[in-house]
Amino acid sequence: AQTVTQSQPEMSVQEAETVTLSCTYDTSESDYYLFWYKQPPSRQMILVIRQEAYKQQNATENRFSVNFQKAAKSFSLKISDSQLGDAAMYFCAYRILFSGGGADGLTFGKGTHLIIQP
Amino acid sequence: KAGVTQTPRYLIKTRGQQVTLSCSPISGHRSVSWYQQTPGQGLQFLFEYFSETQRNKGNFPGRFSGRQFSNSRSEMNVSTLELGDSALYLCASTGEAATDTQYFGPGTRLTVL
């Protein structure tokens, strides 16, 4: 079975500090994309960052960056200068691309609840 | 550009009833995917529609069905509701390319009594 594992159910960090959320995944497919989504208490799922599996360079989006280790099937998210607005559930996910076109649905991990301490 | 909209936002039904949820994608997006979110199972993919055709589906019973209209709006139907169908149902829209990112709506919270 294809899975995503987020080993940290909950993380806490001081405001302005840096935190890293871990994610490992297991797929036998070679063509896929990886994502981090955040879901604040309002429940709206928001894209944080995405990474194409064929790219070696790690994606960055302002204070958010990833450490993508394809051989290890690891995809961690680093949040620098944490802000109160970063408090949310963070979900790691991947989407397999089909060789004939199209893609599978997103496969999600169980999530990490991030708490920001003021 | 308006985001993904879902109606209704909250719904209460009783066991055995059926329910229909609606999703309007971002303007210009032709693909709509549906996900179920529960505390126990997490987020699970239901199905995806593209140009009025189901393109992909997850591992859910036939009680869960959907359709897409020519304006790309999508509906999801659950028949013979069970207590375990209580969940947040999320809709996501995507552009034409499979590599495009999925953008989510606010969800419909379904409670089955």
Side-chain angles (χ1 to χ4, degrees):
Chain A
Q2 302 184 113
T3 60
V4 178
T5 302
Q6 294 181 247
S7 59
Q8 307 145 316
E10 186 172 280
M11 293 279 286
S12 182
V13 65
Q14 291 288 131
E15 198 176 358
E17 297 287 298
T18 295
V19 63
T20 298
L21 308 184
S22 66
C23 171
T24 58
Y25 59 95
D26 185 14
T27 178
S28 56
E29 302 294 331
S30 58
D31 201 4
Y32 53 90
Y33 281 61
L34 294 154
F35 303 86
W36 279 96
Y37 282 91
K38 66 181 277 190
Q39 189 178 41
S42 67
R43 309 300 289 181
Q44 179 100 33
M45 194 78 77
I46 301 165
L47 175 70
V48 175
I49 198 165
R50 62 177 258 165
Q51 171 82 43
E52 293 85 346
Y54 64 85
K55 285 188 179 178
Q56 290 188 329
Q57 185 174 7
N58 290 322
T60 62
E61 283 289 343
N62 301 313
R63 297 181 296 107
F64 300 88
S65 61
V66 298
N67 183 2
F68 174 45
Q69 303 290 328
K70 190 171 184 178
K73 295 182 181 176
S74 171
F75 184 59
S76 62
L77 174 71
K78 186 172 84 170
I79 306 174
S80 304
D81 185 26
S82 298
Q83 300 176 0
L84 294 177
D86 294 334
M89 280 292 286
Y90 284 80
F91 293 95
C92 175
Y94 67 74
R95 190 174 196 209
I96 293 166
L97 300 178
F98 300 140
S99 57
D104 202 357
L106 287 162
T107 299
F108 285 92
K110 294 291 189 184
T112 295
H113 181 211
L114 179 63
I115 298 167
I116 309 295
Q117 305 276 8
Chain B
K1 205 182 249 192
V4 180
T5 58
Q6 293 187 245
T7 57
R9 293 294 308 278
Y10 300 90
L11 208 48
I12 299 174
K13 293 286 187 179
T14 56
R15 276 184 303 172
Q17 287 187 309
Q18 73 160 13
V19 68
T20 299
L21 313 182
S22 180
C23 171
S24 292
I26 292 170
S27 177
H29 283 190
R30 293 170 60 191
S31 169
V32 173
S33 297
W34 289 89
Y35 294 85
Q36 181 196 64
Q37 186 176 22
T38 60
Q41 298 300 314
L43 283 146
Q44 295 183 283
F45 171 66
L46 281 155
F47 32 64
E48 178 190 12
Y49 284 86
F50 180 81
S51 291
E52 302 179 63
T53 301
Q54 187 180 88
R55 184 158 72 171
N56 204 355
K57 69 188 297 289
N59 189 26
F60 276 80
R63 300 185 298 107
F64 292 82
S65 63
R67 60 177 176 168
Q68 187 179 35
F69 302 94
S70 58
N71 62 358
S72 294
R73 187 177 71 86
S74 176
E75 287 182 348
M76 191 193 91
N77 184 273
V78 188
S79 62
T80 318
L81 283 165
E82 301 176 0
L83 295 179
D85 296 333
S86 294
L88 181 69
Y89 289 89
L90 294 167
C91 160
S93 82
T94 316
E96 298 217 8
T99 53
D100 289 344
T101 296
Q102 294 194 340
Y103 295 95
F104 284 82
T108 293
R109 168 72 66 188
L110 172 65
T111 302
V112 182
L113 303 176

